[in-house]
Short mmCIF file of all heavy atoms in Angstrom, two decimals:
data_model
loop_
_atom_site.label_atom_id
_atom_site.label_comp_id
_atom_site.label_asym_id
_atom_site.label_seq_id
_atom_site.Cartn_x
_atom_site.Cartn_y
_atom_site.Cartn_z
N MET Y 1 265.01 43.90 -1.03
CA MET Y 1 265.18 45.21 -0.43
C MET Y 1 266.42 45.88 -1.02
O MET Y 1 267.21 45.25 -1.70
CB MET Y 1 265.28 45.09 1.08
CG MET Y 1 264.05 44.51 1.70
SD MET Y 1 263.74 45.17 3.33
CE MET Y 1 262.22 44.32 3.65
N GLY Y 2 266.62 47.16 -0.70
CA GLY Y 2 267.71 47.93 -1.26
C GLY Y 2 269.08 47.43 -0.84
O GLY Y 2 269.20 46.58 0.02
N LYS Y 3 270.11 47.99 -1.47
CA LYS Y 3 271.46 47.51 -1.22
C LYS Y 3 272.44 48.62 -0.85
O LYS Y 3 273.62 48.38 -0.78
CB LYS Y 3 271.97 46.77 -2.45
CG LYS Y 3 271.16 45.53 -2.75
CD LYS Y 3 271.64 44.85 -3.98
CE LYS Y 3 270.76 43.64 -4.25
NZ LYS Y 3 270.91 43.09 -5.56
N ASP Y 4 271.97 49.85 -0.61
CA ASP Y 4 272.88 50.93 -0.25
C ASP Y 4 273.06 50.97 1.27
O ASP Y 4 272.42 50.23 2.01
CB ASP Y 4 272.38 52.27 -0.79
CG ASP Y 4 271.00 52.67 -0.29
OD1 ASP Y 4 270.55 52.13 0.74
OD2 ASP Y 4 270.37 53.53 -0.92
N SER Y 5 273.96 51.83 1.75
CA SER Y 5 274.23 51.88 3.19
C SER Y 5 273.02 52.35 3.99
O SER Y 5 272.78 51.86 5.10
CB SER Y 5 275.44 52.77 3.48
OG SER Y 5 275.18 54.10 3.09
N ASN Y 6 272.24 53.28 3.44
CA ASN Y 6 271.03 53.72 4.14
C ASN Y 6 270.05 52.57 4.29
O ASN Y 6 269.42 52.41 5.33
CB ASN Y 6 270.37 54.89 3.39
CG ASN Y 6 271.14 56.18 3.53
OD1 ASN Y 6 271.87 56.37 4.50
ND2 ASN Y 6 270.99 57.05 2.57
N SER Y 7 269.92 51.78 3.25
CA SER Y 7 269.04 50.62 3.31
C SER Y 7 269.53 49.64 4.38
O SER Y 7 268.73 49.07 5.12
CB SER Y 7 269.00 49.94 1.94
OG SER Y 7 268.20 48.80 1.98
N GLY Y 8 270.83 49.47 4.48
CA GLY Y 8 271.40 48.59 5.50
C GLY Y 8 271.12 49.09 6.90
O GLY Y 8 270.84 48.29 7.81
N GLU Y 9 271.16 50.40 7.10
CA GLU Y 9 270.85 50.97 8.41
C GLU Y 9 269.39 50.73 8.76
O GLU Y 9 269.07 50.38 9.90
CB GLU Y 9 271.18 52.46 8.42
CG GLU Y 9 272.67 52.73 8.34
CD GLU Y 9 273.02 54.20 8.15
OE1 GLU Y 9 272.11 54.99 7.82
OE2 GLU Y 9 274.19 54.54 8.31
N LEU Y 10 268.51 50.91 7.80
CA LEU Y 10 267.09 50.63 8.02
C LEU Y 10 266.88 49.16 8.35
O LEU Y 10 266.11 48.81 9.25
CB LEU Y 10 266.27 50.99 6.78
CG LEU Y 10 266.00 52.46 6.54
CD1 LEU Y 10 265.39 52.66 5.15
CD2 LEU Y 10 265.08 53.01 7.59
N GLU Y 11 267.54 48.31 7.61
CA GLU Y 11 267.41 46.86 7.80
C GLU Y 11 267.81 46.46 9.21
O GLU Y 11 267.14 45.65 9.86
CB GLU Y 11 268.30 46.14 6.78
CG GLU Y 11 268.06 44.67 6.70
CD GLU Y 11 266.80 44.31 5.94
OE1 GLU Y 11 266.34 45.09 5.10
OE2 GLU Y 11 266.27 43.22 6.21
N ALA Y 12 268.88 47.03 9.73
CA ALA Y 12 269.34 46.70 11.08
C ALA Y 12 268.30 47.07 12.13
O ALA Y 12 268.03 46.29 13.05
CB ALA Y 12 270.66 47.41 11.36
N VAL Y 13 267.70 48.24 11.98
CA VAL Y 13 266.68 48.68 12.94
C VAL Y 13 265.44 47.79 12.83
O VAL Y 13 264.88 47.37 13.85
CB VAL Y 13 266.31 50.17 12.72
CG1 VAL Y 13 265.12 50.57 13.57
CG2 VAL Y 13 267.51 51.05 13.01
N MET Y 14 265.04 47.46 11.62
CA MET Y 14 263.87 46.60 11.44
C MET Y 14 264.10 45.23 12.08
O MET Y 14 263.21 44.70 12.75
CB MET Y 14 263.52 46.47 9.97
CG MET Y 14 262.97 47.73 9.37
SD MET Y 14 262.40 47.58 7.66
CE MET Y 14 263.88 47.09 6.81
N ARG Y 15 265.28 44.67 11.88
CA ARG Y 15 265.57 43.35 12.45
C ARG Y 15 265.55 43.40 13.98
O ARG Y 15 265.04 42.50 14.62
CB ARG Y 15 266.91 42.82 11.96
CG ARG Y 15 266.96 42.50 10.50
CD ARG Y 15 265.95 41.41 10.09
NE ARG Y 15 265.75 41.45 8.66
CZ ARG Y 15 264.64 41.88 8.05
NH1 ARG Y 15 263.61 42.28 8.75
NH2 ARG Y 15 264.54 41.90 6.76
N ALA Y 16 266.10 44.47 14.55
CA ALA Y 16 266.08 44.60 16.01
C ALA Y 16 264.65 44.65 16.53
O ALA Y 16 264.32 44.01 17.53
CB ALA Y 16 266.85 45.85 16.43
N LEU Y 17 263.79 45.39 15.84
CA LEU Y 17 262.40 45.49 16.26
C LEU Y 17 261.63 44.19 16.05
O LEU Y 17 260.70 43.89 16.80
CB LEU Y 17 261.70 46.64 15.53
CG LEU Y 17 262.19 48.04 15.92
CD1 LEU Y 17 261.62 49.08 14.98
CD2 LEU Y 17 261.84 48.35 17.36
N GLU Y 18 262.02 43.41 15.06
CA GLU Y 18 261.39 42.11 14.86
C GLU Y 18 261.81 41.12 15.95
O GLU Y 18 260.99 40.35 16.45
CB GLU Y 18 261.79 41.53 13.50
CG GLU Y 18 261.16 42.23 12.32
CD GLU Y 18 261.73 41.79 10.98
OE1 GLU Y 18 262.80 41.15 10.94
OE2 GLU Y 18 261.09 42.11 9.98
N ILE Y 19 263.07 41.18 16.34
CA ILE Y 19 263.58 40.26 17.36
C ILE Y 19 263.07 40.64 18.75
O ILE Y 19 262.76 39.78 19.56
CB ILE Y 19 265.13 40.24 17.34
CG1 ILE Y 19 265.61 39.62 16.02
CG2 ILE Y 19 265.69 39.49 18.54
CD1 ILE Y 19 267.08 39.81 15.76
N PHE Y 20 262.99 41.94 19.01
CA PHE Y 20 262.55 42.46 20.31
C PHE Y 20 261.31 43.32 20.12
O PHE Y 20 261.38 44.55 20.18
CB PHE Y 20 263.66 43.28 20.97
CG PHE Y 20 264.94 42.53 21.16
CD1 PHE Y 20 266.02 42.74 20.32
CD2 PHE Y 20 265.07 41.59 22.18
CE1 PHE Y 20 267.20 42.05 20.48
CE2 PHE Y 20 266.25 40.89 22.35
CZ PHE Y 20 267.31 41.12 21.50
N PRO Y 21 260.14 42.71 19.89
CA PRO Y 21 258.94 43.49 19.58
C PRO Y 21 258.37 44.27 20.78
O PRO Y 21 257.55 45.16 20.59
CB PRO Y 21 257.94 42.44 19.11
CG PRO Y 21 258.40 41.17 19.73
CD PRO Y 21 259.89 41.29 19.84
N GLU Y 22 258.84 43.96 21.97
CA GLU Y 22 258.35 44.72 23.12
C GLU Y 22 258.93 46.14 23.09
O GLU Y 22 259.69 46.48 22.20
CB GLU Y 22 258.70 44.01 24.44
CG GLU Y 22 260.19 43.88 24.71
CD GLU Y 22 260.85 42.69 24.02
OE1 GLU Y 22 260.19 41.87 23.40
OE2 GLU Y 22 262.08 42.59 24.12
N ASP Y 23 258.58 46.93 24.04
CA ASP Y 23 259.01 48.33 24.09
C ASP Y 23 260.52 48.41 24.29
O ASP Y 23 261.03 48.11 25.37
CB ASP Y 23 258.27 49.03 25.24
CG ASP Y 23 258.45 50.53 25.22
OD1 ASP Y 23 258.77 51.08 24.15
OD2 ASP Y 23 258.26 51.15 26.27
N ILE Y 24 261.24 48.80 23.24
CA ILE Y 24 262.69 48.95 23.33
C ILE Y 24 263.07 50.33 22.81
O ILE Y 24 262.30 50.98 22.12
CB ILE Y 24 263.46 47.86 22.54
CG1 ILE Y 24 263.22 47.99 21.03
CG2 ILE Y 24 263.12 46.48 23.05
CD1 ILE Y 24 264.15 47.13 20.21
N ARG Y 25 264.27 50.74 23.14
CA ARG Y 25 264.81 52.01 22.65
C ARG Y 25 265.91 51.71 21.65
O ARG Y 25 266.83 50.95 21.94
CB ARG Y 25 265.37 52.83 23.81
CG ARG Y 25 266.12 54.07 23.34
CD ARG Y 25 266.72 54.80 24.48
NE ARG Y 25 265.72 55.79 24.88
CZ ARG Y 25 265.86 56.59 25.91
NH1 ARG Y 25 266.90 56.48 26.69
NH2 ARG Y 25 264.93 57.48 26.19
N ILE Y 26 265.80 52.31 20.48
CA ILE Y 26 266.82 52.18 19.44
C ILE Y 26 267.72 53.40 19.52
O ILE Y 26 267.23 54.54 19.47
CB ILE Y 26 266.20 52.08 18.03
CG1 ILE Y 26 265.27 50.88 17.91
CG2 ILE Y 26 267.29 52.08 16.97
CD1 ILE Y 26 265.94 49.54 17.94
N ILE Y 27 269.01 53.18 19.66
CA ILE Y 27 269.98 54.27 19.66
C ILE Y 27 270.80 54.14 18.38
O ILE Y 27 271.36 53.08 18.11
CB ILE Y 27 270.88 54.21 20.91
CG1 ILE Y 27 270.01 54.35 22.17
CG2 ILE Y 27 271.96 55.28 20.85
CD1 ILE Y 27 270.76 54.12 23.46
N THR Y 28 270.84 55.21 17.61
CA THR Y 28 271.55 55.17 16.34
C THR Y 28 272.27 56.48 16.08
O THR Y 28 271.83 57.54 16.53
CB THR Y 28 270.58 54.87 15.17
OG1 THR Y 28 271.32 54.83 13.95
CG2 THR Y 28 269.49 55.92 15.05
N ASP Y 29 273.37 56.39 15.37
CA ASP Y 29 274.07 57.61 14.93
C ASP Y 29 273.65 57.97 13.50
O ASP Y 29 274.17 58.90 12.91
CB ASP Y 29 275.57 57.46 15.04
CG ASP Y 29 276.15 56.41 14.11
OD1 ASP Y 29 275.36 55.65 13.50
OD2 ASP Y 29 277.38 56.34 13.98
N SER Y 30 272.70 57.22 12.96
CA SER Y 30 272.23 57.44 11.60
C SER Y 30 271.16 58.53 11.57
O SER Y 30 270.03 58.32 12.01
CB SER Y 30 271.66 56.14 11.03
OG SER Y 30 271.01 56.41 9.80
N GLN Y 31 271.53 59.68 11.04
CA GLN Y 31 270.56 60.76 10.87
C GLN Y 31 269.46 60.32 9.92
O GLN Y 31 268.29 60.68 10.10
CB GLN Y 31 271.25 62.02 10.33
CG GLN Y 31 270.30 63.16 10.08
CD GLN Y 31 271.00 64.43 9.71
OE1 GLN Y 31 271.76 64.96 10.50
NE2 GLN Y 31 270.76 64.92 8.51
N TYR Y 32 269.81 59.52 8.93
CA TYR Y 32 268.83 59.02 7.95
C TYR Y 32 267.73 58.24 8.65
O TYR Y 32 266.54 58.47 8.41
CB TYR Y 32 269.55 58.15 6.92
CG TYR Y 32 268.66 57.59 5.85
CD1 TYR Y 32 268.09 58.41 4.88
CD2 TYR Y 32 268.40 56.22 5.77
CE1 TYR Y 32 267.29 57.89 3.88
CE2 TYR Y 32 267.60 55.70 4.77
CZ TYR Y 32 267.05 56.54 3.83
OH TYR Y 32 266.26 56.02 2.84
N VAL Y 33 268.09 57.33 9.54
CA VAL Y 33 267.09 56.54 10.26
C VAL Y 33 266.34 57.39 11.26
O VAL Y 33 265.10 57.38 11.31
CB VAL Y 33 267.74 55.32 10.96
CG1 VAL Y 33 266.75 54.62 11.88
CG2 VAL Y 33 268.29 54.34 9.93
N ARG Y 34 267.06 58.15 12.07
CA ARG Y 34 266.43 58.92 13.14
C ARG Y 34 265.46 59.97 12.59
O ARG Y 34 264.30 60.03 12.96
CB ARG Y 34 267.50 59.58 14.01
CG ARG Y 34 266.91 60.34 15.21
CD ARG Y 34 267.99 60.94 16.09
NE ARG Y 34 268.88 61.85 15.39
CZ ARG Y 34 268.59 63.11 15.08
NH1 ARG Y 34 267.42 63.62 15.43
NH2 ARG Y 34 269.45 63.87 14.44
N LYS Y 35 265.96 60.82 11.70
CA LYS Y 35 265.09 61.86 11.15
C LYS Y 35 264.06 61.28 10.19
O LYS Y 35 262.94 61.79 10.11
CB LYS Y 35 265.91 62.94 10.46
CG LYS Y 35 266.62 63.85 11.43
CD LYS Y 35 267.20 65.05 10.73
CE LYS Y 35 267.74 66.03 11.74
NZ LYS Y 35 268.20 67.26 11.09
N GLY Y 36 264.44 60.22 9.50
CA GLY Y 36 263.51 59.61 8.57
C GLY Y 36 262.24 59.14 9.23
O GLY Y 36 261.14 59.41 8.74
N ILE Y 37 262.37 58.45 10.36
CA ILE Y 37 261.18 57.89 11.01
C ILE Y 37 260.47 58.90 11.91
O ILE Y 37 259.28 58.76 12.17
CB ILE Y 37 261.52 56.59 11.79
CG1 ILE Y 37 260.25 55.79 12.10
CG2 ILE Y 37 262.33 56.88 13.05
CD1 ILE Y 37 259.49 55.30 10.91
N THR Y 38 261.17 59.93 12.37
CA THR Y 38 260.54 60.89 13.28
C THR Y 38 260.07 62.17 12.59
O THR Y 38 259.19 62.86 13.12
CB THR Y 38 261.48 61.28 14.43
OG1 THR Y 38 262.65 61.90 13.89
CG2 THR Y 38 261.86 60.07 15.27
N GLU Y 39 260.65 62.52 11.45
CA GLU Y 39 260.31 63.78 10.79
C GLU Y 39 259.96 63.61 9.31
O GLU Y 39 258.88 63.99 8.88
CB GLU Y 39 261.49 64.76 10.89
CG GLU Y 39 261.89 65.14 12.28
CD GLU Y 39 263.15 65.99 12.32
OE1 GLU Y 39 263.43 66.69 11.32
OE2 GLU Y 39 263.86 65.96 13.33
N TRP Y 40 260.90 63.07 8.56
CA TRP Y 40 260.77 63.07 7.10
C TRP Y 40 259.61 62.25 6.60
O TRP Y 40 258.95 62.62 5.63
CB TRP Y 40 262.06 62.60 6.45
CG TRP Y 40 263.26 63.44 6.75
CD1 TRP Y 40 263.27 64.73 7.17
CD2 TRP Y 40 264.62 63.04 6.66
NE1 TRP Y 40 264.57 65.16 7.35
CE2 TRP Y 40 265.42 64.14 7.04
CE3 TRP Y 40 265.26 61.85 6.30
CZ2 TRP Y 40 266.81 64.09 7.07
CZ3 TRP Y 40 266.64 61.80 6.32
CH2 TRP Y 40 267.40 62.92 6.70
N ILE Y 41 259.33 61.11 7.23
CA ILE Y 41 258.27 60.22 6.73
C ILE Y 41 256.92 60.94 6.69
O ILE Y 41 256.12 60.71 5.78
CB ILE Y 41 258.20 58.91 7.54
CG1 ILE Y 41 257.35 57.87 6.78
CG2 ILE Y 41 257.67 59.14 8.94
CD1 ILE Y 41 257.42 56.47 7.36
N ILE Y 42 256.69 61.82 7.63
CA ILE Y 42 255.43 62.58 7.65
C ILE Y 42 255.30 63.40 6.37
O ILE Y 42 254.27 63.39 5.71
CB ILE Y 42 255.39 63.50 8.89
CG1 ILE Y 42 255.42 62.67 10.16
CG2 ILE Y 42 254.19 64.43 8.85
CD1 ILE Y 42 255.80 63.45 11.41
N HIS Y 43 256.36 64.09 5.99
CA HIS Y 43 256.34 64.94 4.81
C HIS Y 43 256.33 64.10 3.53
O HIS Y 43 255.66 64.46 2.56
CB HIS Y 43 257.52 65.90 4.83
CG HIS Y 43 257.51 66.79 6.03
ND1 HIS Y 43 256.59 67.82 6.19
CD2 HIS Y 43 258.25 66.78 7.15
CE1 HIS Y 43 256.80 68.42 7.35
NE2 HIS Y 43 257.80 67.80 7.96
N TRP Y 44 257.11 63.00 3.53
CA TRP Y 44 257.11 62.14 2.34
C TRP Y 44 255.71 61.63 2.04
O TRP Y 44 255.27 61.63 0.90
CB TRP Y 44 258.04 60.94 2.53
CG TRP Y 44 259.49 61.25 2.57
CD1 TRP Y 44 260.14 62.29 1.99
CD2 TRP Y 44 260.50 60.49 3.25
NE1 TRP Y 44 261.48 62.23 2.26
CE2 TRP Y 44 261.72 61.13 3.03
CE3 TRP Y 44 260.48 59.34 4.02
CZ2 TRP Y 44 262.93 60.65 3.53
CZ3 TRP Y 44 261.67 58.86 4.53
CH2 TRP Y 44 262.89 59.51 4.29
N LYS Y 45 255.00 61.20 3.08
CA LYS Y 45 253.65 60.67 2.88
C LYS Y 45 252.70 61.77 2.39
O LYS Y 45 251.85 61.51 1.53
CB LYS Y 45 253.15 60.03 4.17
CG LYS Y 45 253.88 58.72 4.47
CD LYS Y 45 253.60 58.21 5.85
CE LYS Y 45 252.24 57.58 5.93
NZ LYS Y 45 251.98 56.97 7.25
N LEU Y 46 252.83 62.97 2.90
CA LEU Y 46 251.99 64.08 2.46
C LEU Y 46 252.30 64.50 1.03
O LEU Y 46 251.44 65.03 0.33
CB LEU Y 46 252.16 65.28 3.39
CG LEU Y 46 251.58 65.13 4.80
CD1 LEU Y 46 251.99 66.33 5.66
CD2 LEU Y 46 250.06 65.01 4.74
N ASN Y 47 253.54 64.29 0.60
CA ASN Y 47 253.99 64.72 -0.73
C ASN Y 47 254.16 63.56 -1.70
O ASN Y 47 255.02 63.60 -2.58
CB ASN Y 47 255.31 65.50 -0.60
CG ASN Y 47 255.14 66.80 0.12
OD1 ASN Y 47 254.21 67.55 -0.15
ND2 ASN Y 47 256.02 67.07 1.07
N ASP Y 48 253.35 62.51 -1.53
CA ASP Y 48 253.39 61.35 -2.42
C ASP Y 48 254.81 60.77 -2.54
O ASP Y 48 255.28 60.47 -3.61
CB ASP Y 48 252.84 61.70 -3.80
CG ASP Y 48 252.58 60.49 -4.65
OD1 ASP Y 48 252.24 59.42 -4.11
OD2 ASP Y 48 252.74 60.60 -5.90
N TRP Y 49 255.47 60.70 -1.40
CA TRP Y 49 256.81 60.11 -1.28
C TRP Y 49 257.87 60.85 -2.10
O TRP Y 49 258.78 60.26 -2.65
CB TRP Y 49 256.78 58.61 -1.61
CG TRP Y 49 256.06 57.87 -0.55
CD1 TRP Y 49 254.77 57.50 -0.55
CD2 TRP Y 49 256.58 57.47 0.72
NE1 TRP Y 49 254.44 56.88 0.63
CE2 TRP Y 49 255.54 56.85 1.43
CE3 TRP Y 49 257.84 57.58 1.33
CZ2 TRP Y 49 255.71 56.35 2.71
CZ3 TRP Y 49 257.99 57.07 2.61
CH2 TRP Y 49 256.93 56.46 3.28
N HIS Y 50 257.75 62.18 -2.11
CA HIS Y 50 258.78 63.03 -2.72
C HIS Y 50 259.47 63.81 -1.62
O HIS Y 50 258.84 64.25 -0.66
CB HIS Y 50 258.18 63.96 -3.76
CG HIS Y 50 257.80 63.25 -5.01
ND1 HIS Y 50 256.60 62.57 -5.14
CD2 HIS Y 50 258.47 63.08 -6.18
CE1 HIS Y 50 256.55 62.02 -6.34
NE2 HIS Y 50 257.67 62.32 -6.99
N THR Y 51 260.76 64.02 -1.79
CA THR Y 51 261.55 64.75 -0.81
C THR Y 51 261.35 66.25 -0.98
O THR Y 51 260.69 66.69 -1.93
CB THR Y 51 263.05 64.43 -0.97
OG1 THR Y 51 263.49 64.90 -2.25
CG2 THR Y 51 263.32 62.94 -0.85
N ALA Y 52 261.96 67.01 -0.11
CA ALA Y 52 261.83 68.47 -0.16
C ALA Y 52 262.36 69.04 -1.48
O ALA Y 52 261.88 70.07 -1.95
CB ALA Y 52 262.56 69.11 1.02
N ASN Y 53 263.34 68.36 -2.09
CA ASN Y 53 263.87 68.87 -3.36
C ASN Y 53 263.15 68.28 -4.57
O ASN Y 53 263.56 68.50 -5.70
CB ASN Y 53 265.38 68.65 -3.46
CG ASN Y 53 265.77 67.19 -3.52
OD1 ASN Y 53 264.92 66.31 -3.66
ND2 ASN Y 53 267.05 66.91 -3.40
N GLY Y 54 262.06 67.53 -4.33
CA GLY Y 54 261.23 67.05 -5.43
C GLY Y 54 261.56 65.67 -5.97
O GLY Y 54 260.87 65.18 -6.85
N THR Y 55 262.62 65.05 -5.47
CA THR Y 55 262.97 63.71 -5.94
C THR Y 55 262.17 62.66 -5.17
O THR Y 55 261.69 62.91 -4.07
CB THR Y 55 264.48 63.43 -5.78
OG1 THR Y 55 264.80 63.51 -4.39
CG2 THR Y 55 265.31 64.40 -6.57
N LYS Y 56 262.01 61.51 -5.77
CA LYS Y 56 261.29 60.42 -5.13
C LYS Y 56 262.11 59.90 -3.95
O LYS Y 56 263.32 59.71 -4.06
CB LYS Y 56 261.05 59.29 -6.13
CG LYS Y 56 260.05 58.26 -5.71
CD LYS Y 56 258.65 58.81 -5.79
CE LYS Y 56 257.63 57.69 -5.60
NZ LYS Y 56 256.28 58.19 -5.58
N ALA Y 57 261.46 59.71 -2.81
CA ALA Y 57 262.14 59.16 -1.63
C ALA Y 57 262.62 57.75 -1.94
O ALA Y 57 262.01 57.03 -2.74
CB ALA Y 57 261.18 59.15 -0.44
N LYS Y 58 263.70 57.36 -1.30
CA LYS Y 58 264.26 56.02 -1.50
C LYS Y 58 263.81 55.11 -0.37
O LYS Y 58 263.44 55.56 0.71
CB LYS Y 58 265.78 56.09 -1.54
CG LYS Y 58 266.29 56.87 -2.73
CD LYS Y 58 267.79 56.91 -2.76
CE LYS Y 58 268.23 57.72 -3.98
NZ LYS Y 58 269.66 57.89 -4.02
N ASN Y 59 263.83 53.82 -0.64
CA ASN Y 59 263.55 52.79 0.36
C ASN Y 59 262.13 52.89 0.93
O ASN Y 59 261.91 52.63 2.12
CB ASN Y 59 264.59 52.83 1.49
CG ASN Y 59 266.00 52.71 0.98
OD1 ASN Y 59 266.31 51.83 0.20
ND2 ASN Y 59 266.86 53.62 1.41
N ILE Y 60 261.18 53.24 0.09
CA ILE Y 60 259.80 53.47 0.55
C ILE Y 60 259.22 52.24 1.24
O ILE Y 60 258.63 52.35 2.31
CB ILE Y 60 258.91 53.93 -0.62
CG1 ILE Y 60 259.40 55.28 -1.15
CG2 ILE Y 60 257.45 54.01 -0.20
CD1 ILE Y 60 258.78 55.72 -2.46
N GLU Y 61 259.39 51.08 0.65
CA GLU Y 61 258.84 49.86 1.27
C GLU Y 61 259.43 49.63 2.65
O GLU Y 61 258.72 49.23 3.58
CB GLU Y 61 259.09 48.65 0.37
CG GLU Y 61 258.24 48.65 -0.88
CD GLU Y 61 258.46 47.42 -1.73
OE1 GLU Y 61 258.93 46.38 -1.21
OE2 GLU Y 61 258.16 47.49 -2.93
N GLN Y 62 260.72 49.89 2.79
CA GLN Y 62 261.36 49.73 4.10
C GLN Y 62 260.82 50.74 5.10
O GLN Y 62 260.58 50.40 6.25
CB GLN Y 62 262.88 49.86 3.97
CG GLN Y 62 263.53 48.66 3.32
CD GLN Y 62 265.02 48.85 3.22
OE1 GLN Y 62 265.48 49.75 2.52
NE2 GLN Y 62 265.76 48.03 3.92
N TRP Y 63 260.62 51.98 4.67
CA TRP Y 63 260.07 52.99 5.58
C TRP Y 63 258.68 52.62 6.04
O TRP Y 63 258.34 52.78 7.21
CB TRP Y 63 260.07 54.37 4.91
CG TRP Y 63 261.41 55.00 4.87
CD1 TRP Y 63 262.15 55.30 3.75
CD2 TRP Y 63 262.21 55.39 5.99
NE1 TRP Y 63 263.35 55.84 4.13
CE2 TRP Y 63 263.41 55.92 5.50
CE3 TRP Y 63 262.03 55.34 7.37
CZ2 TRP Y 63 264.41 56.40 6.32
CZ3 TRP Y 63 263.02 55.82 8.19
CH2 TRP Y 63 264.20 56.35 7.67
N LEU Y 64 257.86 52.11 5.13
CA LEU Y 64 256.50 51.72 5.50
C LEU Y 64 256.53 50.56 6.50
O LEU Y 64 255.75 50.54 7.46
CB LEU Y 64 255.71 51.34 4.26
CG LEU Y 64 255.30 52.52 3.37
CD1 LEU Y 64 254.75 52.02 2.04
CD2 LEU Y 64 254.30 53.40 4.08
N TYR Y 65 257.43 49.61 6.29
CA TYR Y 65 257.53 48.49 7.21
C TYR Y 65 258.06 48.94 8.56
O TYR Y 65 257.54 48.54 9.61
CB TYR Y 65 258.42 47.39 6.61
CG TYR Y 65 258.48 46.15 7.46
CD1 TYR Y 65 257.32 45.47 7.83
CD2 TYR Y 65 259.69 45.67 7.92
CE1 TYR Y 65 257.37 44.33 8.62
CE2 TYR Y 65 259.75 44.53 8.72
CZ TYR Y 65 258.60 43.87 9.06
OH TYR Y 65 258.66 42.75 9.85
N LEU Y 66 259.07 49.81 8.56
CA LEU Y 66 259.61 50.32 9.82
C LEU Y 66 258.53 51.10 10.58
O LEU Y 66 258.38 50.94 11.79
CB LEU Y 66 260.83 51.22 9.58
CG LEU Y 66 261.46 51.82 10.83
CD1 LEU Y 66 261.87 50.75 11.83
CD2 LEU Y 66 262.64 52.70 10.44
N GLU Y 67 257.75 51.89 9.87
CA GLU Y 67 256.65 52.62 10.51
C GLU Y 67 255.68 51.64 11.16
O GLU Y 67 255.23 51.86 12.29
CB GLU Y 67 255.93 53.50 9.49
CG GLU Y 67 254.80 54.30 10.08
CD GLU Y 67 254.06 55.11 9.04
OE1 GLU Y 67 253.77 54.59 7.95
OE2 GLU Y 67 253.77 56.28 9.34
N LYS Y 68 255.36 50.58 10.46
CA LYS Y 68 254.44 49.56 11.02
C LYS Y 68 255.03 48.93 12.27
O LYS Y 68 254.34 48.74 13.26
CB LYS Y 68 254.18 48.49 9.96
CG LYS Y 68 253.25 47.40 10.40
CD LYS Y 68 253.04 46.38 9.31
CE LYS Y 68 252.17 45.24 9.82
NZ LYS Y 68 252.00 44.20 8.81
N LEU Y 69 256.33 48.62 12.25
CA LEU Y 69 256.98 48.04 13.41
C LEU Y 69 256.99 48.99 14.61
O LEU Y 69 256.97 48.56 15.76
CB LEU Y 69 258.42 47.64 13.09
CG LEU Y 69 258.61 46.43 12.16
CD1 LEU Y 69 260.06 46.32 11.74
CD2 LEU Y 69 258.13 45.16 12.83
N CYS Y 70 257.01 50.29 14.34
CA CYS Y 70 257.07 51.29 15.41
C CYS Y 70 255.70 51.63 15.98
O CYS Y 70 255.62 52.27 17.03
CB CYS Y 70 257.73 52.56 14.89
SG CYS Y 70 259.48 52.38 14.56
N GLN Y 71 254.64 51.24 15.31
CA GLN Y 71 253.30 51.57 15.81
C GLN Y 71 252.99 50.79 17.07
O GLN Y 71 253.41 49.66 17.24
CB GLN Y 71 252.25 51.27 14.74
CG GLN Y 71 252.31 52.23 13.59
CD GLN Y 71 251.34 51.87 12.49
OE1 GLN Y 71 250.75 50.82 12.46
NE2 GLN Y 71 251.17 52.80 11.56
N GLY Y 72 252.22 51.44 17.93
CA GLY Y 72 251.80 50.77 19.17
C GLY Y 72 252.78 51.02 20.24
O GLY Y 72 252.79 50.57 21.30
#
């Protein structure tokens, strides 16, 4: 997986959801994680994983896994 700070923030949320798979609330000060999973991922998927400025989204595999963990 990635090694930047955004990747680390994603990793922390994923680990929490793996440890506590029941219905939990994640509280984060990370705009990247919060907006990424609630807003941006929808647009990235519609735009072949490209951001609003046309660059390829980062940490795609992590986003897909986090989305899977959040389903249900």
